[in-house]
Amino acid sequence: MRLSRKLFLRSLAGAGLATFALLSQAQAWPAKPVRLVVPFPAGGATDTVARVVAQQVATETGQQFIVDNKAGAGGTLGATEGMRAAADGYTLVFTTSSTHAISPHLMAKAPYDPVKDFTPIAHVADAASVLLVTPGLPVKNVAELISYAKAHPGELNYASSGNGTIVHLTTEAFRSQAGLQMLHVPYKGTGPALTDLAAGNVQVLFDSIPTGLPHVRSGRLKALAVTGGQRSPLMPELPTVAEAGLPGFTSVTWFGLYGPARLPADVVRQINAAFNKALRAPEVGAKLAQLGAEPAAPQSPEAFAAMVAKDSQRWGQLIRERKITID
């Protein structure tokens, strides 16, 4: 009887240790390859930023990160796919201002709720824009642009990469704060907009810094300021819009990481820690700088969610006030 009891206790202890080992193994992330859904085309800014950071996380964790581009509908197609994935930490979605702070306000019936249908994980990076004008416009800085636009109401055309894009909204925010009347000319991307801007067919464009920089260096366009909270290392000679004549103005595209709703808290913490660590790697900062982006300061999922909520409130209010719709 005693022997049986000892055997029973040993078996129970062994089973407990085995259960603990299995639980520990289940909680270790990542234990297998991770799929990272990018809701924009391969080769674009969002895709490139995602690959730079994912590669660093893969190197540090020893697991493969498979980037899966699911472009379409302003990023909502890929975001929806990420929303529907299993909540286990092995399908994540690389999000932007567009997918979680802008698009839901532009759609009569959005395919997802950016708060209820996702789990915020990490703020990854931010990218400012540069304010470009056609060379023939007689202005040298933001203050002169504002003065000229006020003296010629309705005569200036501003380009964008399409209705409801961050380029469009940034210009509307600028126009609203400065009290300007300008005509919106939407394009299908900033490529053709840059061509028309250089030709003088439109006069103003907020573009990504890496895309606009070559045109500025060649003299085809003039750069007046950047839209971030601080100067860009790619164009350190340029002031911010706030420094140059519109106090408090900022506009950046943020990049972040989300998972499906109900992602376990311990998994969220592990993913957050892994990405925050990767963002501190000097090589990541250097690569992102070449893209006109900078790593986000390490922060908790809760802080990231609060930042997105504030950004969403800002763009939502502007969209409603300006009655902006998508084609």
Side-chain angles (χ1 to χ4, degrees):
M1 186 72 174
R2 290 179 182 175
L3 183 61
S4 298
R5 188 168 180 231
K6 286 181 180 180
L7 287 173
F8 173 76
L9 291 174
R10 286 178 184 174
S11 298
L12 187 62
L17 288 172
T19 301
F20 177 79
L22 287 172
L23 287 173
S24 298
Q25 184 179 16
Q27 292 171 353
W29 181 95
K32 61 181 181 180
V34 178
R35 177 188 178 217
L36 183 60
V37 178
V38 176
F40 296 95
T46 304
D47 174 70
T48 307
V49 171
R51 290 176 187 272
V52 166
V53 180
Q55 179 57 53
Q56 184 65 30
V57 179
T59 299
E60 294 180 356
T61 61
Q63 283 293 349
Q64 185 180 11
F65 277 69
I66 303 167
V67 175
D68 187 6
N69 297 94
K70 296 290 182 182
T76 59
L77 187 66
T80 301
E81 182 154 339
M83 171 195 74
R84 292 171 177 165
D88 57 6
Y90 290 97
T91 295
L92 306 173
V93 58
F94 199 80
T95 61
T96 68
S97 309
S98 178
T99 60
H100 277 62
I102 295 174
S103 290
H105 297 292
L106 292 167
M107 309 176 80
K109 189 175 181 181
Y112 55 79
D113 184 310
V115 177
K116 296 179 181 178
D117 293 331
F118 294 89
T119 300
I121 299 174
H123 183 189
V124 176
D126 294 310
S129 301
V130 58
L131 172 54
L132 303 172
V133 297
T134 189
L137 198 64
V139 300
K140 299 186 296 293
N141 53 52
V142 172
E144 290 185 4
L145 173 62
I146 292 173
S147 296
Y148 184 91
K150 286 185 175 180
H152 301 81
E155 294 183 19
L156 292 183
N157 298 329
Y158 77 86
S160 82
S161 51
N163 286 334
T165 61
I166 188 67
V167 177
H168 180 198
L169 297 183
T170 296
T171 320
E172 281 297 302
F174 177 84
R175 189 167 78 87
S176 176
Q177 187 172 336
L180 307 180
Q181 295 181 38
M182 296 192 295
L183 178 65
H184 178 212
V185 182
Y187 290 80
K188 293 183 178 179
T190 56
L194 284 166
T195 300
D196 270 6
L197 186 68
N201 297 326
V202 289
Q203 290 75 45
V204 178
L205 171 68
F206 283 91
D207 193 23
S208 69
I209 295 175
T211 306
L213 183 57
H215 299 280
V216 175
R217 296 285 189 251
S218 69
R220 295 180 71 233
L221 297 173
K222 289 193 294 188
L224 303 186
V226 294
T227 64
Q230 58 190 16
R231 298 192 180 200
S232 168
L234 289 181
M235 307 177 84
E237 71 281 4
L238 284 184
T240 65
V241 173
E243 289 176 321
L246 206 58
F249 182 89
T250 60
S251 177
V252 298
T253 295
W254 57 259
F255 303 92
L257 192 70
Y258 277 81
R262 296 178 295 280
L263 193 61
D266 61 327
V267 176
V268 173
R269 286 193 297 271
Q270 290 180 73
I271 303 174
N272 174 270
F275 273 78
N276 281 343
K277 181 181 178 182
L279 293 172
R280 291 193 292 269
E283 56 268 38
V284 170
K287 290 176 181 177
L288 291 181
Q290 293 175 357
L291 301 170
E294 56 182 295
Q299 61 181 226
S300 68
E302 293 77 16
F304 172 48
M307 183 275 292
V308 174
K310 184 177 180 180
D311 198 50
S312 177
Q313 181 180 20
R314 175 199 183 182
W315 294 128
Q317 181 176 343
L318 181 71
I319 288 166
R320 289 187 295 272
E321 289 177 351
R322 294 288 176 172
K323 296 180 174 57
I324 297 171
T325 59
I326 53 178
D327 294 331

